[in-house]
Amino acid sequence: MSAPQSGPLSGSSPSATPDPLRDPWIAPMRRALGEAARATGTGDVPVGAVVLSADGTVLGTGHNEREATGDPTAHAEVLALRAAARATGEWRLTGATLVVTLEPCTMCAGAIVLSRVDRVVYGARDAKAGAVGSLWDVVRDRRLNHRPEVITGVLENECAERLTAFFRDR
Protein backbone atom coordinates (compact mmCIF):
# COMPACT_ATOMS: atom_id res chain seq x y z
CA MET A 1 0.00 0.00 0.00
CA SER A 2 1.46 3.33 -0.94
CA ALA A 3 0.99 6.61 0.85
CA PRO A 4 -0.26 9.68 -0.97
CA GLN A 5 2.59 11.71 -2.40
CA SER A 6 3.89 14.70 -0.46
CA GLY A 7 5.27 17.88 -1.90
CA PRO A 8 4.30 21.47 -2.59
CA LEU A 9 0.69 20.59 -3.39
CA SER A 10 0.25 18.34 -0.37
CA GLY A 11 0.65 21.16 2.11
CA SER A 12 4.11 20.27 3.34
CA SER A 13 6.45 23.15 3.95
CA PRO A 14 9.79 23.16 2.13
CA SER A 15 11.41 24.96 5.08
CA ALA A 16 10.24 22.42 7.66
CA THR A 17 12.32 19.40 8.51
CA PRO A 18 10.96 16.53 6.42
CA ASP A 19 9.13 13.84 8.36
CA PRO A 20 8.79 10.76 6.12
CA LEU A 21 6.29 9.14 8.49
CA ARG A 22 3.84 12.07 8.70
CA ASP A 23 4.42 14.23 5.61
CA PRO A 24 2.59 11.91 3.17
CA TRP A 25 -0.56 12.31 5.27
CA ILE A 26 -0.69 16.13 5.37
CA ALA A 27 -2.99 16.56 2.36
CA PRO A 28 -5.48 13.91 3.51
CA MET A 29 -5.47 15.45 7.01
CA ARG A 30 -6.27 18.84 5.50
CA ARG A 31 -9.22 17.16 3.79
CA ALA A 32 -10.28 15.74 7.17
CA LEU A 33 -9.97 19.22 8.69
CA GLY A 34 -12.31 20.47 5.97
CA GLU A 35 -14.78 17.78 6.99
CA ALA A 36 -14.39 18.82 10.64
CA ALA A 37 -15.36 22.39 9.73
CA ARG A 38 -18.70 21.08 8.42
CA ALA A 39 -19.60 19.78 11.89
CA THR A 40 -19.58 23.15 13.63
CA GLY A 41 -22.65 24.40 11.73
CA THR A 42 -24.82 21.98 13.70
CA GLY A 43 -23.05 22.39 17.02
CA ASP A 44 -21.22 19.09 16.68
CA VAL A 45 -17.65 18.71 17.91
CA PRO A 46 -15.43 19.50 14.89
CA VAL A 47 -13.96 16.10 14.06
CA GLY A 48 -13.50 15.00 10.47
CA ALA A 49 -12.41 11.75 8.85
CA VAL A 50 -11.40 10.47 5.43
CA VAL A 51 -10.96 6.87 4.28
CA LEU A 52 -8.43 6.34 1.49
CA SER A 53 -7.90 3.29 -0.69
CA ALA A 54 -4.44 1.78 -1.06
CA ASP A 55 -3.81 4.03 -4.08
CA GLY A 56 -4.93 7.18 -2.23
CA THR A 57 -8.43 7.44 -3.71
CA VAL A 58 -11.01 8.87 -1.30
CA LEU A 59 -13.51 6.11 -0.49
CA GLY A 60 -15.50 7.92 2.16
CA THR A 61 -15.63 11.00 4.34
CA GLY A 62 -17.46 11.96 7.49
CA HIS A 63 -17.76 14.53 10.21
CA ASN A 64 -19.43 14.36 13.60
CA GLU A 65 -23.22 14.44 13.28
CA ARG A 66 -24.40 13.41 16.73
CA GLU A 67 -26.15 16.72 17.42
CA ALA A 68 -27.44 17.03 13.86
CA THR A 69 -28.96 13.54 13.77
CA GLY A 70 -29.51 12.64 17.42
CA ASP A 71 -27.50 9.48 16.73
CA PRO A 72 -24.93 8.64 19.43
CA THR A 73 -22.94 6.56 16.92
CA ALA A 74 -22.65 9.36 14.35
CA HIS A 75 -18.93 9.94 14.92
CA ALA A 76 -16.82 11.09 11.99
CA GLU A 77 -14.89 7.82 11.85
CA VAL A 78 -17.97 5.60 11.82
CA LEU A 79 -19.64 7.69 9.13
CA ALA A 80 -16.50 7.68 6.96
CA LEU A 81 -16.11 3.90 7.38
CA ARG A 82 -19.78 3.39 6.44
CA ALA A 83 -19.36 5.55 3.33
CA ALA A 84 -16.21 3.63 2.34
CA ALA A 85 -17.98 0.30 2.78
CA ARG A 86 -20.85 1.52 0.59
CA ALA A 87 -18.37 2.74 -2.05
CA THR A 88 -16.49 -0.56 -2.16
CA GLY A 89 -19.45 -2.86 -1.56
CA GLU A 90 -17.43 -4.58 1.16
CA TRP A 91 -17.34 -4.33 4.93
CA ARG A 92 -13.69 -5.37 4.89
CA LEU A 93 -11.68 -2.25 4.11
CA THR A 94 -8.40 -4.09 3.71
CA GLY A 95 -5.72 -1.83 2.24
CA ALA A 96 -7.51 1.34 3.37
CA THR A 97 -6.29 4.14 5.61
CA LEU A 98 -8.50 6.12 7.98
CA VAL A 99 -7.31 9.71 8.49
CA VAL A 100 -9.03 11.52 11.37
CA THR A 101 -8.45 14.82 13.12
CA LEU A 102 -8.87 13.46 16.68
CA GLU A 103 -7.73 10.21 18.24
CA PRO A 104 -10.62 7.74 17.99
CA CYS A 105 -12.71 6.76 21.03
CA THR A 106 -13.36 3.16 22.08
CA MET A 107 -16.43 2.81 19.85
CA CYS A 108 -14.56 4.09 16.81
CA ALA A 109 -11.45 2.05 17.64
CA GLY A 110 -13.65 -1.05 17.69
CA ALA A 111 -15.14 -0.11 14.32
CA ILE A 112 -11.63 0.40 12.95
CA VAL A 113 -10.55 -3.07 14.06
CA LEU A 114 -13.73 -4.68 12.75
CA SER A 115 -13.49 -2.94 9.37
CA ARG A 116 -9.93 -4.26 8.88
CA VAL A 117 -8.39 -0.95 7.77
CA ASP A 118 -4.63 -1.23 7.39
CA ARG A 119 -3.72 2.11 8.93
CA VAL A 120 -5.06 4.83 11.23
CA VAL A 121 -3.62 8.32 10.96
CA TYR A 122 -4.75 10.92 13.48
CA GLY A 123 -3.94 14.49 14.41
CA ALA A 124 -4.72 15.47 18.00
CA ARG A 125 -4.50 13.17 20.99
CA ASP A 126 -7.55 12.74 23.22
CA ALA A 127 -6.38 12.29 26.80
CA LYS A 128 -9.97 11.97 28.07
CA ALA A 129 -11.38 9.38 25.66
CA GLY A 130 -8.65 8.31 23.22
CA ALA A 131 -8.51 4.59 22.50
CA VAL A 132 -5.55 4.55 20.10
CA GLY A 133 -2.78 5.05 22.62
CA SER A 134 -3.76 7.81 25.03
CA LEU A 135 -6.24 6.38 27.52
CA TRP A 136 -6.62 2.92 25.98
CA ASP A 137 -5.00 1.20 23.01
CA VAL A 138 -7.79 -0.88 21.53
CA VAL A 139 -6.41 -1.03 17.98
CA ARG A 140 -3.10 -2.54 19.08
CA ASP A 141 -4.51 -5.00 21.63
CA ARG A 142 -2.75 -8.30 20.88
CA ARG A 143 -5.87 -10.25 21.87
CA LEU A 144 -7.70 -8.96 18.78
CA ASN A 145 -7.42 -10.53 15.35
CA HIS A 146 -6.56 -7.30 13.50
CA ARG A 147 -4.15 -4.53 14.47
CA PRO A 148 -3.74 -1.61 12.05
CA GLU A 149 -0.62 0.52 11.81
CA VAL A 150 -0.99 3.80 13.74
CA ILE A 151 0.53 7.16 12.79
CA THR A 152 -0.05 10.03 15.22
CA GLY A 153 0.50 13.77 15.34
CA VAL A 154 -0.21 14.71 11.70
CA LEU A 155 -1.03 18.44 11.77
CA GLU A 156 -1.53 17.92 15.49
CA ASN A 157 -1.51 21.63 16.39
CA GLU A 158 -4.06 22.56 13.72
CA CYS A 159 -6.33 19.70 14.74
CA ALA A 160 -6.04 20.51 18.45
CA GLU A 161 -6.58 24.23 17.92
CA ARG A 162 -9.83 23.63 16.06
CA LEU A 163 -11.13 21.60 19.01
CA THR A 164 -9.82 24.08 21.60
CA ALA A 165 -11.52 26.97 19.81
CA PHE A 166 -14.80 25.06 19.60
CA PHE A 167 -14.88 24.31 23.33
CA ARG A 168 -13.62 27.78 24.28
CA ASP A 169 -16.51 29.34 22.31
CA ARG A 170 -19.03 27.10 24.04
Side-chain angles (χ1 to χ4, degrees):
M1 179 165 114
S2 63
Q5 298 299 308
S6 69
L9 298 177
S10 71
S12 64
S13 170
S15 63
T17 304
D19 183 340
L21 184 64
R22 292 179 184 86
D23 287 355
W25 304 108
I26 290 174
M29 186 61 76
R30 290 203 188 286
R31 175 105 186 233
L33 281 163
E35 278 295 315
R38 297 180 64 199
T40 57
T42 57
D44 279 287
V45 177
V47 177
V50 177
V51 177
L52 304 169
S53 69
D55 68 4
T57 302
V58 174
L59 297 174
T61 62
H63 57 276
N64 277 355
E65 294 184 13
R66 291 187 314 164
E67 298 296 331
T69 63
D71 179 354
T73 69
H75 288 206
E77 302 93 314
V78 170
L79 297 175
L81 291 169
R82 287 177 184 165
R86 279 192 304 273
T88 62
E90 293 282 334
W91 65 266
R92 287 181 194 87
L93 298 175
T94 305
T97 298
L98 172 70
V99 179
V100 61
T101 58
L102 180 65
E103 179 181 357
C105 69
T106 54
M107 175 184 69
C108 294
I112 289 164
V113 170
L114 294 173
S115 69
R116 309 296 197 272
V117 298
D118 282 6
R119 180 181 298 111
V120 178
V121 177
Y122 71 83
R125 290 190 172 280
D126 186 349
K128 292 183 179 181
V132 184
S134 290
L135 190 56
W136 297 285
D137 201 352
V138 172
V139 300
R140 289 179 280 208
D141 189 319
R142 295 223 174 264
R143 296 170 292 182
L144 299 176
N145 66 337
H146 179 73
R147 291 178 297 281
E149 175 186 8
V150 176
I151 299 171
T152 67
V154 177
L155 298 180
E156 183 173 11
N157 292 338
E158 288 181 46
C159 293
E161 176 51 37
R162 183 162 307 218
L163 292 159
T164 299
F166 173 80
F167 287 110
R168 181 178 51 235
D169 294 343
R170 292 195 82 168

